[in-house]
């Protein structure tokens, strides 16, 4: 990163906003070297001339060839930016488009430029309207929508650019998935350089993620919506100027039958000193408007939730309240390691939520210290499958039940669940130390949402680096935890380690699920004794139509698998191989298609959202 006076000034502003520790972590994120440099990667992967020619031919054969109206509100657009924007639309490989320019510039400069441009290229698909007054970005955009004749409407800023294959890719998806009624793409930023426009900061996005959208307007550009959905929303709203696109996208996604995603960089967001892309501090009012847009969204759908702004601009937290006073049953498999279990129980007892019970599933312990600790917990001894029962210092029930067979994580948890009285289950490893006092409220608030099936946590190694921040299917052939080794305080690619979002899976080392859903999918798969049982469980819950939520506001240390030992015997290696084959057999279609919450342009060898090497 080249040091310039502007960047120094920008850094000072950021330091004042973030404070020294957060600023340092942000700087470390920015200085992290790209494993695959994006500039060359983009040049290798963009559609070439021959591909664009093929698209121009193939688009004539689409069964559905809608007219797409691209709406652009203009205001004192610099001549070069305007011309390059017009070129980017005119050069589309898909030909059925209409460009609607709603211009609020007081002078005739934009009108004259557009007239000359249309005359030069004999272009009749560009429609221009001069607005009598500048009513703000929302109303100016609505004026452009009134000009639109298309079945679909897309939105483009007056100084930004579309890739030449943008509309072709959009229409291709419309044909492949007719139920899609709103579509977005990946994007990047472009900045002036000596050699021309330099592409940087790609934003590769997942398929539609409700929780990610409630954390940040990740959809942004290029957004295209079916006319009937747009009409249901009523267009843009001036009271949300600054975050008018966030408010509009939230309302569109509420009404669309399905939201589609094209995992290609189709939109180029121009960076200059006045743009929000380069200087978020230039539009502080926009982040407050974003908060209000999110609050309005929750109110419309009847979802209680408290919205607050996070430290990083444009990122939000929705805290969902708990309804009623549900009991959480905390299931903890255990073998020996008395002090490890003691630390776990002591951390649970710091919880601010008091309606819980602890069920410890004893599995062939041999150390006397373990049973001494059980005796401390259990004031009443039992017989058979129940070792004893007791009450914790806060009045919560504790029970030790006995699983006499060999280690099988799935069977042990299913056995423990059969003794649970709670309406929500927490699967918790004995080597977890909770460090968020209101962790149960946080998880319950999410778990009570009707669309949510499972909630997971952000886990750290004892050295304060990330152990788990969600699981992606397909990495290393099966699946892997995200951001291992990321320093606590750093937030990773587009802050994904530190915001709530959806994944296909989270670890069962610290996971909450309702009793109803647990029983609906028949608990954990007992053929998966050690590995991948949490992955399989999450995928089956997803298959039932529920979301898996990664909640970074639930934090804990994970002293990983202390009681299990290494997977280094012939028997264990054989078992591990069998479990891999089980997952491949059951989930082969997903493994082939790719994780919907992970962009196909990312590496399947790295766990930090690194780019795949270019094709």
């Amino acid at each position: 990163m080249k040091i310039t006076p502007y960047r120094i000034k920008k850094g000072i502003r950021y330091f004042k906003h973030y404070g020294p520790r957060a600023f340092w972590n942000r700087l470390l994120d920015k200085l992290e070297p790209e494993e695959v440099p994006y500039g060359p990667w983009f040049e290798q992967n963009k559609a070439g001339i021959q591909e664009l020619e093929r698209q121009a031919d193939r688009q004539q054969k689409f069964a559905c060839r809608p007219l797409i109206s691209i709406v652009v509100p203009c205001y004192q657009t610099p001549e070069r930016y305007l011309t390059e924007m017009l070129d980017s639309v005119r050069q589309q490989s898909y030909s059925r488009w209409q460009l609607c320019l709603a211009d609020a510039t007081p002078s005739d400069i934009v009108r004259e430029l557009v007239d000359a441009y249309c005359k030069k290229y004999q272009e009749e698909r560009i429609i221009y309207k001069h607005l009598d007054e500048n009513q703000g970005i929302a109303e100016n955009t609505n004026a452009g929508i009134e000009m639109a004749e298309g079945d679909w409407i897309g939105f483009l800023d007056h100084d930004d650019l579309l890739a030449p294959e943008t509309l072709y890719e959009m229409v291709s998806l419309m044909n492949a998935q007719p139920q899609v009624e709103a579509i977005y793409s990946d994007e990047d930023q472009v900045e002036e350089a000596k050699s021309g426009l330099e592409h940087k900061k790609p934003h590769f996005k997942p398929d539609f993620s409700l929780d990610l959208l409630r954390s940040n307007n990740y959809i942004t550009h290029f957004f295209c919506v079916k006319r009937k959905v747009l009409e249901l929303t009523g267009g843009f709203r001036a009271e949300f100027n600054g975050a008018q696109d966030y408010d509009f996208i939230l309302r569109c996604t509420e009404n669309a039958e399905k939201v589609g995603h094209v995992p290609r960089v189709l939109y180029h967001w121009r960076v200059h000193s006045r743009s929000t892309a380069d200087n978020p501090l230039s539009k502080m009012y926009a982040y407050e408007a974003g908060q209000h847009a999110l609050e309005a969204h929750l109110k419309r759908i009847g979802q209680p939730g408290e919205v607050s702004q996070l430290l990083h601009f444009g990122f939000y937290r929705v805290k969902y309240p708990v309804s009623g006073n549900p009991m959480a049953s905390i299931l903890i498999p255990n073998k020996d390691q008395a002090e490890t279990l003691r630390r776990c129980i002591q951390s649970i007892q710091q919880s601010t939520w008091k309606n819980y019970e602890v069920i410890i599933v004893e599995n062939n312990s041999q150390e006397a210290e373990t049973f001494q600790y059980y005796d401390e917990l259990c004031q009443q001894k039992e017989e058979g499958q129940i070792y004893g029962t007791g009450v914790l210092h806060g009045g919560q029930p504790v029970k030790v039940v006995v699983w006499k067979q060999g280690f099988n994580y799935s069977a042990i948890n299913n056995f423990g669940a059969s003794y649970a009285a709670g309406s929500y289950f927490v699967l918790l490893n004995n080597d977890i130390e909770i460090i968020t006092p209101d962790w149960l409220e946080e998880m319950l608030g999410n778990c009570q949402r009707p669309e949510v099936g499972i909630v997971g946590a952000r886990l750290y190694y004892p050295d304060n680096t990330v152990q788990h921040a969600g699981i992606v299917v397909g990495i290393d052939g099966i699946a892997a935890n995200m951001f291992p080794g990321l320093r606590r305080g750093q937030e990773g690619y587009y802050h994904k380690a530190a915001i709530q979002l959806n994944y296909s899976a989270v670890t069962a080392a610290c996971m909450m699920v309702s009793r109803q859903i647990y029983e609906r999918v028949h608990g954990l798969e007992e053929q998966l004794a050690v590995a991948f049982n949490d992955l399989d469980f999450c995928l089956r819950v997803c298959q039932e139509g529920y979301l898996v939520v990664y909640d970074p506001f639930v934090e804990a240390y994970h002293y990983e698998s202390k009681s299990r030992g290494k997977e280094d015997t012939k028997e264990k290696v054989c078992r591990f191989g069998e479990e891999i084959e089980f997952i491949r057999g059951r989930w082969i279609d997903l493994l082939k298609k790719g994780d919907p919450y992970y962009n196909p342009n990312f590496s399947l060898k790295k766990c930090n959202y690194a780019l795949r090497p270019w094709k």
Side-chain angles (χ1 to χ4, degrees):
M1 183 173 66
K2 185 178 179 181
I3 302 299
T4 64
Y6 172 70
R7 284 200 170 105
I8 292 172
K9 184 177 179 181
K10 180 178 170 182
I12 292 171
R13 288 199 303 263
Y14 275 48
F15 183 87
K16 289 179 179 178
H17 172 74
Y18 292 110
R21 178 177 293 180
F23 174 80
W24 175 248
N25 284 323
R26 182 174 174 84
L27 184 63
L28 290 176
D29 281 332
K30 285 185 168 291
L31 292 176
E32 190 78 27
E34 292 181 305
E35 296 180 58
V36 177
Y38 176 64
W41 186 97
F42 173 79
E43 295 300 323
Q44 289 282 340
N45 283 274
K46 70 180 183 181
I49 294 175
Q50 291 183 338
E51 171 59 23
L52 292 171
E53 290 174 349
R54 283 193 292 268
Q55 290 178 5
D57 179 58
R58 288 196 295 260
Q59 56 110 11
Q60 300 290 343
K61 302 171 186 176
F62 281 138
C64 172
R65 296 188 70 246
L67 175 66
I68 300 180
S69 296
I70 303 169
V71 172
V72 180
C74 301
Y75 183 74
Q76 296 183 342
T77 315
E79 179 179 357
R80 181 180 174 187
Y81 294 174
L82 178 65
T83 301
E84 289 180 351
M85 181 273 290
L86 294 171
D87 284 343
S88 78
V89 176
R90 185 176 57 82
Q91 293 164 3
Q92 291 296 304
S93 58
Y94 180 78
S95 58
R96 291 207 70 214
W97 56 263
Q98 173 193 50
L99 181 60
C100 305
L101 304 174
D103 178 31
T105 306
S107 69
D108 289 331
I109 186 169
V110 173
R111 181 204 300 271
E112 292 169 357
L113 286 168
V114 172
D115 287 346
Y117 187 92
C118 292
K119 183 176 181 180
K120 177 180 178 180
Y121 294 105
Q122 298 184 330
E123 185 56 76
E124 298 180 352
R125 294 171 294 181
I126 299 176
I127 303 172
Y128 173 90
K129 180 180 181 181
H130 188 267
L131 306 180
D132 293 336
E133 60 178 319
N134 179 17
Q135 297 185 40
I137 185 67
E139 290 301 336
N140 293 353
T141 304
N142 286 336
I145 291 172
E146 291 175 2
M147 301 161 62
E149 301 170 358
D151 304 309
W152 285 76
I153 293 88
F155 300 92
L156 173 65
D157 287 353
H158 66 162
D159 53 357
D160 292 342
L161 307 168
L162 295 181
E165 70 271 28
T166 298
L167 299 184
Y168 174 88
E169 294 288 354
M170 292 279 171
V171 177
S172 181
L173 182 60
M174 294 172 197
N175 279 267
Q177 301 180 33
Q179 69 274 38
V180 165
E181 295 183 332
I183 306 175
Y184 62 95
S185 75
D186 300 340
E187 61 186 286
D188 68 8
Q189 296 180 8
V190 290
E191 187 173 22
E192 299 289 343
K194 291 181 180 179
S195 57
L197 286 177
E198 175 186 353
H199 290 264
K200 63 179 189 177
K201 285 199 73 175
H203 189 178
F204 292 107
K205 307 167 187 176
D207 289 351
F208 183 66
S209 171
L210 176 62
D211 283 276
L212 179 56
L213 185 59
R214 289 180 183 173
S215 296
N216 167 248
N217 180 15
Y218 79 95
I219 287 178
T220 53
H221 309 118
F222 178 60
F223 186 65
C224 200
V225 63
K226 208 167 187 176
R227 175 176 288 279
K228 74 170 188 177
V229 173
L230 185 147
E231 289 173 350
L232 285 171
T233 69
F236 288 76
R237 302 195 292 183
E239 60 264 41
F240 296 99
N241 271 340
Q244 71 287 332
D245 52 348
Y246 194 14
D247 170 65
F248 179 68
I249 286 170
L250 285 165
R251 287 183 288 119
C252 287
T253 55
E254 290 165 26
N255 286 283
E257 179 181 348
K258 183 177 180 180
V259 180
H261 166 227
V262 178
R264 290 183 61 88
V265 176
L266 303 181
Y267 191 99
H268 308 303
W269 192 3
R270 190 186 296 271
V271 174
H272 50 79
S273 59
R274 292 179 297 170
S275 71
T276 310
D278 188 58
N279 181 16
L281 288 162
S282 65
K283 290 188 176 181
M284 294 298 294
Y285 69 91
Y287 311 119
E288 292 185 8
Q291 180 176 345
H292 298 325
L294 197 48
E295 290 167 341
H297 156 71
L298 295 173
K299 185 176 181 180
R300 277 192 305 274
I301 65 171
Q303 172 64 66
E306 180 182 342
V307 181
S308 58
Q309 296 187 50
L310 296 176
L311 185 64
H312 295 283
F313 298 116
F315 290 83
Y316 304 93
R317 175 185 181 181
V318 180
K319 189 170 180 64
Y320 299 96
V322 183
S323 176
N325 186 34
M327 173 184 273
S329 295
I330 303 172
L331 312 178
I332 307 175
N334 188 70
K335 179 181 179 180
D336 291 319
Q337 301 291 330
E339 288 309 308
T340 297
L341 178 63
R342 183 187 298 273
R343 180 176 53 219
C344 178
I345 298 295
Q346 287 176 341
S347 72
I348 291 171
Q349 290 183 280
Q350 302 304 312
S351 304
T352 52
W353 185 261
K354 300 305 180 184
N355 192 14
Y356 65 86
E357 66 172 352
V358 174
I359 298 173
I360 300 166
V361 187
E362 152 59 26
N363 181 216
N364 296 317
S365 294
Q366 297 178 341
E367 298 172 359
E369 293 85 356
T370 303
F371 295 96
Q372 290 171 6
Y373 183 52
Y374 291 163
D375 291 341
E376 284 183 39
L377 294 171
C378 299
Q379 292 84 38
Q380 183 172 336
K381 299 291 286 292
E382 304 282 348
E383 294 181 355
Q385 291 183 319
I386 301 179
Y387 178 89
T389 59
V391 178
L392 298 176
H393 297 311
Q396 294 81 15
V398 60
K399 183 182 296 179
V400 178
V401 297
V402 181
W403 175 260
K404 294 182 179 179
Q405 299 177 45
F407 181 84
N408 181 318
Y409 184 83
S410 298
I412 288 171
N413 276 284
N414 291 342
F415 176 72
S418 70
Y419 288 91
S423 51
Y424 293 87
F425 297 163
V426 176
L427 278 56
L428 195 70
N429 281 15
N430 63 349
D431 55 359
I432 291 287
E433 180 183 3
I434 303 296
I435 53 179
T436 306
D438 65 346
W439 68 296
L440 286 172
E441 295 99 306
E442 184 69 27
M443 295 182 109
L444 284 166
N446 268 305
C447 245
Q448 287 187 330
R449 294 163 51 198
E451 69 273 15
V452 171
I454 293 172
V455 182
R458 176 162 44 169
L459 305 181
Y460 303 106
Y461 290 114
D463 65 356
N464 280 309
T465 60
V466 170
Q467 184 265 338
H468 166 271
I471 294 174
V472 165
V473 177
I475 294 182
D476 289 336
I478 299 293
N481 291 353
M482 296 307 292
F483 297 114
L486 185 74
R487 288 179 52 209
R488 187 175 179 183
Q490 288 186 266
E491 302 193 353
Y493 184 79
Y494 280 90
H495 308 288
K496 280 185 166 52
I499 56 174
Q500 183 161 299
L501 67 159
N502 303 115
Y503 275 109
S504 289
V506 291
T507 180
C510 182
M511 167 197 290
M512 179 179 281
V513 59
S514 72
R515 170 191 288 274
Q516 180 183 12
I517 292 174
Y518 193 90
E519 293 176 349
R520 179 173 176 175
V521 300
H522 308 294
L524 299 184
E525 173 57 69
E526 296 187 11
Q527 290 190 57
L528 297 169
V530 178
F532 309 122
N533 35 59
D534 46 7
L535 171 66
D536 174 78
F537 178 68
C538 288
L539 293 180
R540 285 187 287 120
V541 170
C542 287
Q543 200 172 52
E544 292 292 322
Y546 295 100
L547 296 176
V548 172
V549 172
Y550 161 67
D551 189 337
F553 307 108
V554 175
E555 298 178 283
Y557 286 115
H558 188 191
Y559 304 88
E560 190 178 15
S561 301
K562 278 191 172 184
S563 61
R564 276 289 304 146
K566 295 181 179 179
E567 299 292 302
D568 56 0
T569 67
K570 183 177 181 180
E571 180 184 349
K572 289 180 179 179
V573 169
C574 181
R575 184 264 312 149
F576 185 68
E578 289 173 353
E579 291 177 337
I580 287 176
E581 289 309 310
F582 182 95
I583 290 293
R584 283 180 177 159
R586 176 173 282 182
W587 301 107
I588 188 63
D589 290 343
L590 176 59
L591 288 167
K592 286 180 177 178
K593 186 178 180 181
D595 192 323
Y597 295 109
Y598 190 65
N599 194 289
N601 293 296
F602 289 131
S603 169
L604 292 177
K605 300 294 183 184
K606 306 286 185 179
C607 302
N608 59 353
Y609 289 87
L611 270 177
R612 274 190 177 188
W614 51 76
K615 301 173 184 176

